[in-house]
Amino acid sequence: MSSTVVECPACGAPVEWSVKSPNRPFCSGRCKLIDLGAWASEEHAIPGNELEDDLFSDDIPSRSH
């Protein structure tokens, strides 16, 4: 039986999808932290519902960057 191999989302290295790879789908803890940092700095985002954003946009104070 062959194991499933996926690409690390951060660097593209092959990662075996098994208990031997505790950081899966990442190849290492470093790549895992790089991805977490990207989410924290809002480089990654899950798109929201534009209608809901418009309905509730007055309830949320604007953010200055």
Side-chain angles (χ1 to χ4, degrees):
M1 179 197 251
S2 64
S3 62
T4 300
V5 176
V6 297
E7 284 188 8
C8 174
C11 72
V15 180
E16 182 180 340
W17 193 273
S18 73
V19 294
K20 292 186 228 176
S21 304
N23 294 304
R24 65 186 178 273
F26 303 97
C27 65
S28 65
R30 179 180 179 275
C31 280
K32 190 189 248 185
L33 288 175
I34 289 170
D35 186 73
L36 177 61
W39 281 100
S41 65
E42 297 182 353
E43 290 175 37
H44 297 319
I46 298 172
N49 182 326
E50 289 182 33
L51 178 60
E52 285 182 10
D53 291 345
D54 289 342
L55 289 173
F56 298 107
S57 61
D58 293 335
D59 297 339
I60 301 170
S62 62
R63 293 175 52 184
S64 59
H65 289 272

